[in-house]
Amino acid sequence: MENAENSFKLQEDTVLFHNIPMSKIIVNNWEQVESFQARPDDLIISTYPKAGTTWMSEIVDMIYNNGDVTKSSQAPIYCRVPYMEFIMPEENMSGIQQLNNMASPRLIKTHLPVQLLPKSMWENKCKIIYVARNAKDVAVSYFYFHQSVKLMPHPGPWEEFLQKYIAGEVSYGSWHDHVKGWWKKKQEHPILYLFYEDMKENPDREIRKVIQFLEKDLGEEVLEKIIHHTDFQAMKENPMTNYKTITPDLLDQKASPFMRKGITGDWKNHFTMAQNEVFDADYARKMEGSGLQFRMEI
Ligand code: PPS
């Protein structure tokens, strides 16, 4: 393990860890994460930040609850699907502790790049759902998230943030490496790799894929209920999914709501033509030969 104190200081609370910028909170908690004991029936929901984690978490929780909204409304999403590597400083609530106290089958959220996943998850052959979202909309969503999350450094002006994001100098590092790493791992591990844009375009089709992957048998009525309950507007109004249960000292939703827009293509309202050209040229270089195709609009 690298020592946070010796690491290259990138941002106020971010340090280089295994060459990836990570929040100090996570790095300081690393021994717990590394030694985490997965169970074979754990289901991991993995994403680069802002790719649709909360959306997929609510979908899977609803599937596990057979479409019973009452059950899925009993606790905020971060209690039903703990954020494994994180600790809420004020409440001193560690994702690992939450998980250790949870009955099986557990749902686990992580943003870790593939090479940092605790090895017991591979050994136990845990099923993993990876959600990927196009790099430009993630950049915009992440920019606003930095404004609302008090634990993160202020993003500064959009131009500055975008440059850092392109260079992979944001928490969890390079978007390109993240999506490519997980895509490759799919060849040797049970990973359902889904795209946010496909979920937006046709939630019915994509939720069916999840149900099949989880080997569940749900009726059409239940599926309809899940689609309706996990729709953006429903989740924005739902206090168990909109993060309003988090104190504004930690998440200032006046600066930017957690459930912000929930659309594909908002990047067009933020990227200048020049920024778009630079982004595209860099993107083509980094994604060449990956076999991954993203849609920047639908
Ligand atoms: S986090 O903090 O990394 O866990 O955030 P994450 O949940 O991955 O991503 C947040 C973005 O997902 C949007 N969102 C949704 N879009 C469509 N439908 C539903 N149901 C939904 N739920 C969350 C959320 O609005 C964030 O995207 P932006 O573009 O900022 O609106």
Side-chain angles (χ1 to χ4, degrees):
M1 190 183 82
E2 286 168 35
N3 184 334
E5 299 312 316
N6 297 334
S7 302
F8 173 62
K9 199 164 187 300
L10 271 160
Q11 291 166 333
E12 220 168 56
D13 71 338
T14 307
V15 290
L16 264 191
F17 181 66
H18 291 276
N19 229 12
I20 291 160
M22 297 277 275
S23 157
K24 257 190 190 171
I25 296 172
I26 295 171
V27 175
N28 292 341
N29 179 37
W30 193 251
E31 269 165 40
Q32 269 198 57
V33 177
E34 200 173 29
S35 58
F36 175 66
Q37 279 311 302
R39 305 172 192 157
D41 58 356
D42 286 339
L43 189 270
I44 326 295
I45 297 168
S46 169
T47 60
Y48 187 84
K50 312 323 288 178
T53 332
T54 316
W55 189 9
M56 182 52 72
S57 299
E58 189 66 7
I59 289 171
V60 175
D61 189 55
M62 279 290 281
I63 292 174
Y64 272 41
N65 288 330
N66 243 306
D68 186 337
V69 175
T70 322
K71 282 191 184 157
S72 285
S73 304
Q74 275 169 0
I77 191 68
Y78 50 85
C79 293
R80 289 175 282 137
V81 186
Y83 181 4
M84 178 179 64
E85 64 268 24
F86 201 66
I87 299 182
M88 286 286 221
E90 264 188 11
E91 296 158 44
N92 207 17
M93 185 173 66
S94 126
I96 299 283
Q97 281 162 5
Q98 276 177 277
L99 287 164
N100 288 341
N101 294 334
M102 245 172 128
S104 292
R106 304 180 295 190
L107 303 177
I108 304 175
K109 159 182 169 173
T110 183
H111 291 313
L112 289 176
V114 72
Q115 68 275 24
L116 292 184
L117 207 72
K119 73 172 186 316
S120 73
M121 289 181 166
W122 305 122
E123 288 166 354
N124 281 285
K125 298 194 169 49
C126 300
K127 284 188 178 177
I128 300 173
I129 299 178
Y130 186 83
V131 185
R133 185 183 191 184
N134 82 70
K136 293 180 185 175
D137 281 325
V138 167
V140 172
S141 183
Y142 214 6
F143 171 66
Y144 284 101
F145 193 56
H146 276 72
Q147 296 180 11
S148 59
V149 177
K150 293 299 162 202
L151 292 169
M152 287 183 135
H154 195 272
W158 162 244
E159 168 73 26
E160 209 175 279
F161 179 81
L162 184 61
Q163 277 178 21
K164 278 196 198 141
Y165 175 80
I166 292 174
E169 290 169 4
V170 291
S171 198
Y172 289 104
S174 155
W175 173 93
H176 313 79
D177 289 347
H178 206 284
V179 297
K180 284 192 292 184
W182 279 98
W183 180 250
K184 200 158 169 233
K185 193 73 184 177
K186 195 164 79 69
Q187 292 169 2
E188 53 179 78
H189 191 89
I191 297 173
L192 178 67
Y193 200 107
L194 297 178
F195 296 89
Y196 179 98
E197 294 73 27
D198 293 348
M199 290 166 64
K200 278 300 297 183
E201 182 184 65
N202 193 336
D204 180 307
R205 179 189 64 208
E206 300 307 304
I207 294 173
R208 279 179 202 274
K209 288 183 193 168
V210 177
I211 293 172
Q212 197 186 7
F213 180 68
L214 298 175
E215 297 170 86
K216 303 279 183 196
D217 189 15
L218 304 183
E220 290 298 310
E221 223 175 276
V222 174
L223 177 65
E224 274 308 310
K225 217 195 264 185
I226 296 174
I227 295 169
H228 177 73
H229 177 79
T230 58
D231 158 80
F232 177 75
Q233 202 51 40
M235 283 184 59
K236 189 178 171 71
E237 286 159 19
N238 180 353
M240 294 301 132
T241 52
N242 64 16
Y243 277 80
K244 294 235 172 107
T245 39
I246 301 265
T247 155
D249 297 344
L250 288 174
L251 185 67
D252 177 10
Q253 301 218 33
K254 286 208 178 93
S256 179
F258 186 88
M259 294 288 164
R260 197 182 57 87
K261 283 195 181 171
I263 58 170
T264 292
D266 190 35
W267 63 270
K268 289 189 219 156
N269 300 315
H270 295 79
F271 281 63
T272 64
M273 290 237 303
Q275 286 168 348
N276 200 33
E277 275 173 24
V278 171
F279 192 98
D280 283 346
D282 173 79
Y283 186 92
R285 257 195 322 274
K286 289 176 178 160
M287 298 303 283
E288 194 190 352
S290 69
L292 264 169
Q293 289 287 340
F294 281 85
R295 290 189 288 165
M296 309 290 178
E297 49 194 308
I298 49 174

